[in-house]
Amino acid sequence: METLLGKHWHAIDADDVVQYLESDLNTGLDRFVVRRRQSHFGPNLITASKKPSPLIVFFQQFNQALVYILIVAGMVTLFLQEYVEAAFIFGVVFINAIIGFMQESKAVAAIEALAQTMETMTTVIRSGRSARINASELVPGDVVTLQSGDKVPADLRLVDFHALRIDESALTGESEPVSKREDLLAQGLPLADRTNMAYASTLVTFGRATGLVVATGDKTEVGRISRLISMATEVQTPLTRKIAQFSRYLLVVILALAGLTLVVGLVRGEPLFDMFLAAVALAVGAIPEGMPAAITIMLAIGVSRMASRYAIIRKLPAVETLGGTTTICSDKTGTLTQNEMTVQALVTADAAFTLTGSGYTPKGDIRPGSGNEQETQSAALQACLACGVLCNDSHLSHQDGQWQIEGDPTEGALVVAAAKAGINVDELRKRHSREDEMPFDSASQFMATLNTAPEGERRLFIKGATEALLTRCRVALDNRGEEIAIDREAMQQVASELAARGLRVLTLAQSRPLSTGEGIELANRSEELVFLGFQAMMDPPRESSARAVEICRRAGIGVKMITGDHALTAEAIARQINMLDAGTERRDAPDVLTGADIADLNDEDFVQAAETATVFARVTPEQKLRLVEALQEGDHIVAMTGDGVNDAPALRQADIGVAMGRNGTEVAKEASDMVLLDDNFATIVAAVEEGRSVFDNLVKFIVWTLPTNLGEGLVILAAIFAGVTLPILPIQILWINMSTAVLLGLMLAFEPREADIMERPPRDPQRPMLTGEMVFRIFFVGFLMLLGGFGLFEVAELRGLEVERARTIAVNVFIFIEIFYLFNSRSLYHSIFRIGFFTNLWAFAGVAVMIVLQMLYTYLPLANRIFQSAPITLGDWAQILVVAVVVYLLVELEKGLRRWKRARTN
């Protein structure tokens, strides 16, 4: 039987399905067969993935090249019995690990969330009796009954159903509930078009059905998606890639320089112990120990800022990744749109109306196309709206400050439209009591109700597909309430034009008053219906989507729509929010492609299609995932937004996955890097803005901190080559690096966003983090630190000062150059006075605390013993400040020359 589970069940006759599965529609399976199949197939649950333990996550924090160097340096220092230095080195390593562990995002739990979606109760027929059981106990061949409100517990081949509609949006992206039919279907149909199937985790919105379980657990469509999630590669972010690359380069340079230091010293006849100490000092000096912790904290500050703008970051590097995003692949339903069907147009036999407002909020106007406000009192309009309410099972309610629909979203849209016209829905239904009904059926394509008015008049009210009802209408109601001849050809043209705009068109009609013996069955055969009008609806775009798309476009970020919905609907939404230019299409390549269009493309053509097309409709989860991979192959930094189960694999694969917090499934949230609390596409724009600001500030920090490491390393090298005493010791280097990184460098995280940040194009993913200009500045300031620190140390030695005092002068030179250079680095190109001297008060606070600590370092006896420092005089301080001010002025001169050169070039 195992071989049968891969069959195209939608393409097999229902009787054959029963035979294949060795079941019986009347009695179901007996308990002995169930037991055997449960043993064979296992529980109807998604297999949970194994997460790394907290201990493993903690030890992963040490898996960095720079940390390896620090650990080796600490071990060498310990071997040399320099216990204080060793304690400081290991302390730095441990603190970095703790910070990384605390900020590590939660392990991806998407598969566990998928398992939860299948934990539900269901009704099953076994041994001829109906029973309620846990869905996890289902096996292939079980006979399951469904009714409105049920969650489908497994993949089912539907064999008997009545007016069944299922919301499959979480699985396929289809915005409207799908009407199920008994037709035998072709094998190659996409999942969204398999109308004789019901899939696990989808929701029954109307009707009832009986189905045979054909797949459970991991074999279901939702189980297949869980495998896609586990197979999707969680790619490194641009920041982690660049930091890793930088670390590798730095590792080679540090090891080479440390080895050179050791060899040169030994050749010069220096003691091995001293040369080991010098090599450790150089390694410790060249490693930016505070950088991992500072970057983590700066990203965490960005997380806090984004949270205040309704974007929750689940994975820390995603903050920076957002700033480098080049393409956003957005789902349509619930992301760009409101996921709330809304009537946008209403057409009667002699008038057309536009409805304003969107979503389920009953606020808006009904505006006549002619501009004549008296037409809003049209009898045909009022009758059309009333029909939409009476032939309807949905209810509009206001809960927790939000308007909600109980029932089918399409019927909900009709209720909201009537409420906008001032119709009291509950009162209308009470006055026109329902005697009988004929539920929607996919074969007849309409729903009908029999209602009685207060005066005793009985009428049929019917709504359904245009092709099913328009030909049965002999007359139409005009704006005066009189019956007139209907021009079917003209009305069919109107319906076609509405459909071409991506609107779903419902035709509404009523019967003439019924006689005593006539009932609901007349709805099937009456050719004397009275045409009331069309109501055309769609899931409208969010009001903020068009603005957000425009901002993304100005920022050089491409926006693509990837949806499981129909191409016509997707294209209409795309044009409304200006993703596509109205009425135009590129001649070299289509703007809109369907899953069928791209299914047979080879890899090269697929990558080209992903690059050129803007809208992708009727795509499968595998195709969504493949589109993200194709864009990444084209060197795009891809952000993927979505809210459904079907989005989860692509969310996981994308450089940054963005899930919807309000209407999104738990599966999507757990697979994402960021969750939007307000489900608003425009919030992504705010997040990108914050991401760019974070990256700017990260670059400022790196350009500020690396000259110190370079200068410290050069000072050690200069001392070895000159054969003189080391101007700074390893423990003093650690003090400089750690204290300044936290108290000075970290203050750059609070720099305000620059005004033109969303007018710049995205960063080139292939471009290094540091440009040539920034690299020059790092070396320029590093050499200035070498001259200042080494120069004043040698001057102190020549003055006959003890080595502790000379080293204290050298340490303070580094500290105060960093203080002044901090203000240089608040803007990489502009003067501090142009961006605002006092716009970052945190920088002044950090400088104040740093100066206090440096006074303690210099004059506190305990600090003198730990760091081998000594008090210095006012004259020493004067020399230190002069050097620091000169460095500040030289850097400002270099920035000014670059601005002048850039101005001349432009």
Side-chain angles (χ1 to χ4, degrees):
M1 186 174 175
E2 181 76 38
T3 58
L4 299 175
L5 297 185
K7 285 185 172 293
H8 298 280
W9 297 107
H10 60 280
I12 302 175
D13 184 77
D15 292 335
D16 292 335
V17 173
V18 176
Q19 182 179 348
Y20 284 141
L21 295 174
E22 299 174 7
S23 187
D24 187 292
L25 294 179
N26 296 317
T27 62
L29 304 175
D30 64 45
R31 61 180 179 176
F32 304 105
V33 173
V34 169
R35 192 176 304 157
R36 287 197 302 271
R37 293 188 182 183
Q38 284 176 339
S39 175
H40 182 75
F41 294 105
N44 180 31
L45 296 171
I46 301 296
T47 303
S49 61
K50 187 177 180 181
K51 296 186 293 185
S53 68
L55 189 63
I56 295 297
V57 174
F58 177 74
F59 281 116
Q60 285 174 344
Q61 309 305 316
F62 298 95
N63 187 25
Q64 303 176 46
L66 297 182
V67 173
Y68 293 156
I69 301 176
L70 281 177
I71 292 174
V72 172
M75 294 174 66
V76 171
T77 308
L78 196 63
F79 175 76
L80 298 176
Q81 298 183 356
E82 297 290 337
Y83 300 118
V84 176
E85 285 88 341
F88 261 83
I89 292 173
F90 287 123
V92 168
V93 171
F94 192 69
I95 290 170
N96 276 331
I98 290 176
I99 293 174
F101 176 75
M102 291 176 64
Q103 295 292 345
E104 186 78 24
S105 58
K106 298 176 183 178
V108 176
I111 296 179
E112 286 84 345
L114 278 161
Q116 292 174 8
T117 67
M118 300 192 63
E119 292 179 2
T120 186
M121 299 298 291
T122 190
T123 302
V124 63
I125 298 174
R126 286 180 177 173
S127 300
R129 304 175 70 176
S130 178
R132 293 283 289 174
I133 65 170
N134 192 301
S136 63
E137 300 174 20
L138 287 176
V139 296
D142 261 328
V143 179
V144 173
T145 60
L146 301 172
Q147 60 184 5
S148 181
D150 284 350
K151 180 183 286 186
V152 180
D155 285 1
L156 308 178
R157 172 61 160 90
L158 300 171
V159 293
D160 180 31
F161 43 95
H162 183 67
L164 184 67
R165 278 178 279 176
I166 296 181
D167 180 359
E168 297 180 343
S169 61
L171 192 62
T172 67
E174 177 75 59
S175 60
E176 302 173 13
V178 177
S179 296
K180 296 299 180 176
R181 301 193 299 271
E182 296 182 17
D183 304 345
L184 196 63
L185 304 173
Q187 280 193 15
L189 287 178
L191 186 146
D193 294 330
R194 298 174 190 173
T195 53
N196 58 13
M197 297 288 294
Y199 293 102
S201 81
T202 59
L203 185 67
V204 178
T205 63
F206 192 84
R208 59 183 184 273
T210 300
L212 272 168
V213 175
V214 296
T216 59
D218 291 336
K219 300 294 185 181
T220 63
E221 287 296 324
V222 76
R224 184 174 56 82
I225 291 176
S226 78
R227 294 196 298 275
L228 287 176
I229 295 173
S230 62
M231 290 187 293
T233 306
E234 191 164 0
V235 298
Q236 281 189 310
T237 68
L239 179 65
T240 55
R241 286 197 295 264
K242 288 172 181 175
I243 293 294
Q245 185 182 43
F246 169 75
S247 298
R248 288 192 295 270
Y249 290 152
L250 195 58
L251 173 63
V252 173
V253 172
I254 290 171
L255 292 177
L257 291 178
L260 179 64
T261 299
L262 188 63
V263 170
V264 169
L266 292 176
V267 169
R268 294 177 61 88
E270 300 290 344
L272 180 62
F273 177 90
D274 291 346
M275 289 305 96
F276 262 119
L277 190 62
V280 169
L282 188 143
V284 171
I287 295 173
E289 294 90 353
M291 190 165 75
I295 288 177
T296 299
I297 294 170
M298 291 179 82
L299 291 174
I301 291 171
V303 167
S304 178
R305 285 181 172 178
M306 289 187 181
S308 68
R309 303 180 78 172
Y310 303 105
I312 300 299
I313 299 297
R314 298 183 65 253
K315 299 173 184 177
L316 213 55
V319 178
E320 180 274 335
T321 310
L322 270 168
T325 299
T326 62
T327 302
I328 298 175
C329 296
S330 176
D331 186 35
K332 177 185 72 68
T333 306
T335 307
L336 291 166
T337 67
Q338 300 180 35
N339 201 19
E340 297 179 351
M341 293 296 288
T342 305
V343 175
Q344 296 189 341
L346 191 152
V347 180
T348 65
D350 54 3
F353 304 87
T354 300
L355 283 76
T356 63
S358 61
Y360 296 148
T361 303
K363 293 182 179 179
D365 300 320
I366 299 182
R367 298 175 179 173
S370 65
N372 183 1
E373 292 297 326
Q374 290 184 350
E375 288 188 358
T376 57
Q377 304 303 315
S378 163
L381 170 65
Q382 297 298 316
C384 184
L385 292 169
C387 178
V389 170
L390 296 174
C391 187
N392 194 317
D393 291 316
S394 291
H395 297 274
L396 178 66
S397 62
H398 193 259
Q399 300 175 11
D400 301 324
Q402 288 188 324
W403 289 95
Q404 299 177 354
I405 287 294
E406 299 172 15
D408 185 87
T410 299
E411 291 191 335
L414 300 176
V415 173
V416 174
K420 289 178 181 178
I423 294 176
N424 187 319
V425 173
D426 293 335
E427 181 64 25
L428 179 66
R429 286 173 170 172
K430 187 181 298 183
R431 286 176 33 242
H432 293 76
S433 59
R434 183 183 296 186
E435 284 187 26
D436 205 349
E437 66 179 271
M438 183 178 290
F440 180 88
D441 182 83
S442 57
S444 63
Q445 294 187 291
F446 67 81
M447 172 186 178
T449 62
L450 173 57
N451 297 74
T452 303
E455 61 275 12
E457 183 180 82
R458 301 165 66 245
R459 283 184 187 269
L460 294 177
F461 294 96
I462 306 176
K463 73 173 190 298
T466 301
E467 55 270 27
L469 296 181
L470 190 58
T471 56
R472 297 172 56 194
C473 294
R474 288 291 177 91
V475 293
L477 204 66
D478 68 6
N479 61 4
R480 295 168 297 179
E482 298 178 358
E483 294 181 0
I484 60 173
I486 183 172
D487 186 342
R488 291 196 190 92
E489 186 175 336
M491 298 314 297
Q492 182 61 59
Q493 179 65 28
V494 170
S496 299
E497 290 172 358
L498 290 171
R501 290 163 48 189
L503 298 170
R504 182 186 182 190
V505 182
L506 285 182
T507 298
L508 294 101
Q510 67 184 28
S511 69
R512 290 170 174 167
L514 303 185
S515 61
T516 304
E518 295 176 318
I520 192 69
E521 70 282 352
L522 192 64
N524 276 324
R525 61 176 188 269
S526 174
E527 299 291 334
E528 300 288 335
L529 297 180
V530 180
F531 175 79
L532 301 178
F534 299 129
Q535 291 198 46
M537 63 190 70
M538 72 160 34
D539 177 15
R542 295 179 180 273
E543 293 180 2
S544 56
S545 291
R547 170 69 176 160
V549 169
E550 177 59 27
I551 292 175
C552 286
R553 184 173 291 170
R554 288 208 313 266
I557 301 169
V559 181
K560 297 181 183 293
M561 181 191 296
I562 302 179
T563 178
D565 212 340
H566 294 280
L568 205 58
T569 303
E571 181 177 0
I573 294 293
R575 294 197 185 281
Q576 286 185 45
I577 61 176
N578 298 321
M579 284 179 64
L580 299 174
D581 294 330
T584 64
E585 184 173 292
R586 286 192 306 267
R587 294 180 179 179
D588 56 332
D591 284 323
V592 182
L593 293 173
T594 66
D597 294 331
I598 61 178
D600 299 325
L601 296 180
N602 59 39
D603 289 344
E604 183 178 343
D605 291 339
F606 194 94
V607 171
Q608 181 65 22
E611 187 76 36
T612 57
T614 301
V615 176
F616 298 88
R618 305 301 274 176
V619 295
T620 64
E622 293 94 336
Q623 289 173 330
K624 287 188 179 187
L625 180 60
R626 194 180 173 200
L627 282 166
V628 172
E629 292 172 332
L631 288 166
Q632 288 172 331
E633 188 172 322
D635 293 328
H636 285 277
I637 303 300
V638 181
M640 170 73 189
T641 74
D643 59 359
V645 174
N646 61 321
D647 298 320
L651 290 174
R652 175 78 179 273
Q653 175 65 34
D655 295 278
I656 175 165
V658 184
M660 303 297 113
R662 186 177 296 167
N663 292 323
T665 61
E666 288 302 313
V667 180
K669 294 175 191 175
E670 294 296 340
S672 68
D673 304 286
M674 183 175 82
V675 178
L676 304 183
L677 291 181
D678 58 358
D679 285 16
N680 195 335
F681 181 79
T683 303
I684 298 175
V685 178
V688 169
E689 185 178 45
E690 290 292 349
R692 290 189 173 191
S693 176
V694 167
F695 184 81
D696 274 4
N697 291 342
L698 278 174
V699 172
K700 291 173 186 177
F701 171 80
I702 293 171
V703 171
W704 171 84
T705 195
L706 289 185
T708 303
N709 302 108
L710 177 63
E712 290 164 344
L714 290 175
V715 163
I716 301 299
L717 274 178
I720 296 301
F721 276 86
V724 299
T725 306
L726 292 180
I728 45 179
L729 299 174
I731 193 171
Q732 295 169 340
I733 292 173
L734 285 171
W735 167 259
I736 295 171
N737 292 353
M738 292 303 295
S739 63
T740 58
V742 173
L743 293 173
L744 300 180
L746 196 57
M747 301 305 107
L748 292 171
F750 300 99
E751 277 299 312
R753 293 184 298 275
E754 297 185 20
D756 64 342
I757 201 165
M758 290 302 287
E759 302 294 331
R760 310 172 191 168
R763 297 188 310 276
D764 183 350
Q766 302 304 314
R767 178 184 175 184
M769 181 177 286
L770 300 176
T771 64
E773 293 181 2
M774 297 303 102
V775 172
F776 172 83
R777 187 172 301 164
I778 289 169
F779 277 91
F780 179 56
V781 177
F783 276 103
L784 292 177
M785 286 186 169
L786 164 67
L787 294 176
F790 190 77
L792 287 190
F793 176 81
E794 286 301 306
V795 169
E797 290 270 275
L798 292 175
R799 289 164 55 198
L801 302 181
E802 62 273 20
V803 69
E804 289 81 4
R805 182 176 165 187
R807 282 174 173 157
T808 302
I809 293 173
V811 168
N812 278 296
V813 168
F814 276 92
I815 294 289
F816 277 84
I817 288 178
E818 286 194 83
I819 288 174
F820 279 84
Y821 182 50
L822 177 70
F823 290 95
N824 292 125
S825 300
R826 286 186 56 197
S827 176
L828 297 176
Y829 301 102
H830 301 294
S831 164
I832 185 66
F833 299 102
R834 176 172 176 179
I835 65 171
F837 192 73
F838 294 106
T839 53
N840 184 0
L841 296 179
W842 285 98
F844 292 93
V847 167
V849 175
M850 188 71 247
I851 290 174
V852 170
L853 288 182
Q854 206 54 32
M855 293 301 106
L856 296 176
Y857 172 93
T858 304
Y859 296 108
L860 188 68
L862 178 61
N864 295 156
R865 287 196 299 272
I866 294 174
F867 295 106
Q868 301 180 43
S869 59
I872 58 178
T873 66
L874 285 175
D876 298 331
W877 282 114
Q879 293 177 355
I880 292 167
L881 290 174
V882 167
V883 170
V885 170
V886 168
V887 171
Y888 172 82
L889 294 175
L890 288 174
V891 173
E892 285 301 313
L893 177 62
E894 181 258 345
K895 288 164 64 176
L897 289 173
R898 290 196 182 278
R899 290 196 300 272
W900 174 76
K901 182 178 179 181
R902 192 175 293 112
R904 287 194 61 186
T905 303
N906 294 336

